[in-house]
Amino acid sequence: MATQERPRHSRKVLARSPEQARTLPSWIYTDSDLLVRERETIFRRNWSFVGHVSDARDGRVATGWIDDCPIRFWREPSGGIAGERIDGTAPSKLRLCVLSGLVFANLDNGADDLESLTPEFGPSLIDFVPRIEELVLCHQIRHEVACNWKVLIENSLECYHCEPCHPGFSDDVDMATYRSESDGVLTMHTGMQRGSDTPFRYWYLWPLTEIDANPGEKPQLSIYTREALGAGRFAMIGHFYRLPGDIPDAQEIAQMESNDTLLEDYAICESVQRGLGSRGYGRGRFIVDRERSHISEHSVHHFQLLVADALDLR
Ligand SMILES: [Fe+2]
């Protein structure tokens, strides 16, 4: 990597106000040693989506992942969901939480409950997709992307790039209605489809989970998790859920495999990663406006504060 500022012990890496802050320095996105710390202090100490309760139906033992750590879970005779780590580490190290049919796991036995961290998350899911607990897995994808895991998350937390980079998405969404709001571990994006009264809503749960839902008579849920493969590479894993019997056809499978918006974001983010690794860039500024409109990057700043807090970089 290029010679860059490495303020590991600074207490002022990131200002609390997005108007005042400079972005995290570029080495945060290129340093292999840092990824080791991120695994321990971020991925293994926070809640990640590992599956749906329906994955454990009919006595099945389901497998999910927190980054590169496999998790098993199953339904107990009492009706509850239980689990342990596959590598044999003491089961007490694994905690599970079910919110609106979605199973989340945390490898830190001392972590706060997910429901207490974000009380609005579960209710907002079932409010938007009332039949969410009935859904079943219909397809999975795995894409490898040549950028740091944080780059694509930051991309998803702002829509400044949407109009120039996502023509299809921008045709579908009324950008004037697009808003994102971050509170603790949860960011929720809301808005309206263009020319209709159909809302959209999607969620980012710190650090690795994104949930995109289409409500309606045939609800669809797209949940994306991540596995870091190196400082400059990660795997994006997509889990797609529908009602039993609503089986996607070949065209719908192809859309899940190569969604235009995802592929457009991969190209942008791989370009951003090349820029982060160049000698010409150290850190930048956030684009924010008072209205916190669709072009405002306040949720990216919130994410970077979570990173800085977890790594004790401030
Ligand atoms: Fe995007």
Side-chain angles (χ1 to χ4, degrees):
M1 60 176 284
T3 301
Q4 292 160 348
E5 182 184 6
R6 296 170 65 93
R8 288 176 188 272
H9 306 295
S10 167
R11 303 301 296 175
K12 294 183 179 179
V13 164
L14 194 65
R16 308 300 296 187
S17 158
E19 284 81 2
Q20 302 297 321
R22 298 168 70 202
T23 58
L24 288 177
S26 55
W27 70 267
I28 299 281
Y29 302 83
T30 59
D31 188 304
S32 298
D33 293 340
L34 188 78
L35 178 60
V36 175
R37 289 174 59 198
E38 289 177 330
R39 283 210 152 99
E40 292 307 316
T41 62
I42 296 178
F43 302 157
R44 284 157 174 67
R45 293 187 189 173
N46 286 283
W47 292 92
S48 293
F49 170 81
V50 292
H52 188 285
V53 289
S54 63
D55 296 340
R57 67 188 182 280
D58 303 328
R60 298 177 198 178
V61 176
T63 302
W65 296 79
I66 299 176
D67 183 38
D68 62 347
C69 184
I71 303 297
R72 277 183 185 148
F73 65 91
W74 58 86
R75 191 176 282 284
E76 293 189 302
S78 63
I81 295 288
E84 66 180 5
R85 293 178 63 171
I86 287 177
D87 66 3
T89 305
S92 62
K93 290 285 186 183
L94 175 65
R95 293 173 60 203
L96 294 176
C97 174
V98 179
L99 291 183
S100 301
L102 307 186
V103 183
F104 297 86
N106 193 324
L107 297 171
D108 179 3
N109 205 34
D112 291 335
D113 290 339
L114 181 56
E115 283 176 289
S116 66
L117 286 170
T118 176
E120 70 274 29
F121 182 31
S124 74
L125 287 166
I126 204 159
D127 171 65
F128 197 61
V129 187
R131 300 182 70 182
I132 190 169
E133 295 179 5
E134 300 174 43
L135 304 181
V136 295
L137 186 70
C138 66
H139 193 62
Q140 280 184 299
I141 61 166
R142 179 186 171 92
H143 292 158
E144 292 195 12
V145 190
C147 70
N148 185 270
W149 67 277
K150 299 186 290 297
V151 172
L152 190 62
I153 287 174
E154 292 185 5
N155 171 283
S156 75
L157 289 172
E158 51 86 6
C159 220
Y160 181 75
H161 71 282
C162 291
E163 286 172 304
C165 299
H166 299 313
F169 178 85
S170 302
D171 284 345
D172 293 341
V173 170
D174 180 356
M175 285 296 171
T177 67
Y178 187 105
R179 291 290 181 277
S180 74
E181 195 169 331
S182 300
D183 183 11
V185 295
L186 189 70
T187 294
M188 191 160 76
H189 306 261
T190 58
M192 301 297 291
Q193 304 286 349
R194 194 183 294 275
S196 82
D197 58 358
T198 306
F200 70 84
R201 190 182 290 183
Y202 62 95
W203 301 258
Y204 164 63
L205 177 69
W206 159 261
L208 295 172
T209 306
E210 281 180 286
I211 300 174
D212 189 0
N214 287 320
E217 289 185 17
K218 291 186 173 181
Q220 300 175 8
L221 206 57
S222 306
I223 304 181
Y224 297 96
T225 55
R226 291 156 176 85
E227 177 187 350
L229 303 173
R233 194 168 191 85
F234 77 95
M236 179 91 154
I237 301 108
H239 317 253
F240 302 95
Y241 291 89
R242 292 185 174 195
L243 290 174
D246 182 14
I247 299 167
D249 61 24
Q251 188 175 358
E252 290 171 319
I253 293 288
Q255 179 67 11
M256 293 172 190
E257 290 282 348
S258 57
N259 175 290
D260 285 346
T261 304
L262 266 187
L263 298 184
E264 289 158 359
D265 278 331
Y266 295 163
I268 300 165
C269 290
E270 291 183 349
S271 172
V272 167
Q273 186 71 25
R274 289 193 291 276
L276 288 164
S278 76
R279 289 180 180 275
Y281 178 79
R283 58 198 306 188
R285 289 283 192 187
F286 297 96
I287 297 166
V288 286
D289 58 26
R290 193 174 297 171
E291 298 76 25
R292 301 300 191 244
S293 73
H294 70 285
I295 62 168
S296 183
E297 296 178 323
H298 52 282
S299 291
V300 179
H301 172 258
H302 182 84
F303 169 78
Q304 293 196 5
L305 281 177
L306 291 173
V307 172
D309 280 350
L311 298 171
D312 196 24
L313 293 171
R314 288 179 298 109

